[in-house]
Amino acid sequence: MNLKKVFAIMLCLTLLLVGCTKTGDNKNTTDTDDKDTAKNKTFKVAMVTSAGGLGDRSYNDSAYEGLKKIEKDMNMEIKVVEPADVSEGEKYLTELAKAGYDLVCTLEYGHADILNTVAPQFPDTRFAIFNIVVDQPNVTSVIFKEHEGSFLAGALAAMVTTDDSIDKTNDQKIISAIGGVQSPGIDKFIVGYEEGAKYIDPDIKVLKGYSNSFGDPAKGKELALVQIDQGSDVVYQIAGGTGEGVFEAVKEKNVFAVGVDSDQDYIVPGNILTSMMKRLDMAMVMLAEKLQDGTISDENVVELGLKEGTELSPMEHTKDMLKPEYLDQLEEIREKIVSGEIKVTDVTKE
């Protein structure tokens, strides 16, 4: 082979290598540009409340705290919609997607079927729903392990219910729970609460009732008073705004309630033993962060339990009433749940 041919071959190989390198460099530059563009973009995030709307000092308000943090700390544009009825979900989810919101979150469990219809119509919009899985490529389902936190609440309730050093308890091994509308999502709390109580004392009795509403304080108070008259001195409310009536009842009868979703201990200081905090505020911020960094489409189901942030409240107003060994035992139980040594039933997966 003469020198001219050798030179020609080497030149071709060199050009080919240079071309490949340039192509790779262009791709890396494009990826970086896309990330920079996403980072600098002003995202729009909307939230559709569940039944009861804002002002429940619980589920909806906890999520709203996260939304406000998104607006303040992440410079995102936010919007809140409060449907008068679950059936309005399709209307609002559709309108928000058409308005160009990048992330549309619904707190309403009953919007699952609606979202299955709406989400495919707007493939460029990211939707999120809480407490139930919707299997669509542009939907992120956030599932809380409320049964784990409720187990801790039930365990604490069983510890204190016959403690005669506390003036809010009696000598009967009876505690109770009041749910909103009966459903697997609500029974998930109640079953965890009962299992936690029976882990401490297998002989304890757990009364249960449902208000069939998340916005009826009068009904909540009525049910709580009936349970208290039957001997319950710790009433777990899982009923949104209905729980306000439960708090009125425990204050009137000087017994304990257990709050839910957010830290409700301050509502009736000293009469709310603890609150099972789902930390929806943290979940909302997490979704916004994933939206901003472009990873939200990587996770269609996100589960959050004791390991990820679900917890009991700090018990600012009641901790001094509790024996130190109660708190030590709670921490041991928490660690056993996180490690998997204690298995808490999730009725939504049965």
Side-chain angles (χ1 to χ4, degrees), residues 54-81:
L54 297 180
D56 62 359
R57 297 200 280 189
S58 182
Y59 181 68
N60 290 300
D61 283 0
S62 178
Y64 185 47
E65 287 302 312
L67 194 67
K68 289 189 292 186
K69 186 174 178 64
I70 291 167
E71 180 183 41
K72 179 181 177 183
D73 297 346
M74 302 178 71
N75 197 33
M76 293 188 177
E77 182 180 331
I78 66 169
K79 184 179 180 67
V80 180
V81 175

Side-chain angles (χ1 to χ4, degrees), residues 328-341:
D328 293 341
Q329 191 171 5
L330 279 179
E331 181 56 27
E332 289 175 9
I333 293 170
R334 192 194 74 81
E335 290 175 359
K336 287 181 179 180
I337 294 173
V338 171
S339 70
E341 184 178 341

Side-chain angles (χ1 to χ4, degrees), residues 139-158:
V139 175
T140 297
S141 302
V142 182
I143 306 299
F144 296 95
K145 298 177 183 179
E146 300 103 336
H147 52 302
E148 294 183 349
S150 296
F151 190 100
L152 288 182
L156 180 58

Side-chain angles (χ1 to χ4, degrees), residues 161 170 172-175 207 226-233:
T161 186
N170 56 50
Q172 299 183 69
K173 295 182 177 183
I174 303 174
I175 60 175
L207 308 176
V226 169
Q227 291 180 345
I228 294 166
D229 286 345
Q230 291 175 339
S232 173
D233 49 21

Side-chain angles (χ1 to χ4, degrees), residues 247 250 255-259 264-275 315 317-318:
F247 297 149
V250 299
V255 296
F256 283 127
V258 173
Q264 298 187 309
D265 297 7
Y266 70 95
I267 297 175
V268 188
N271 286 101
I272 300 182
L273 176 63
T274 188
S275 296
M315 295 180 273
H317 305 288
T318 55

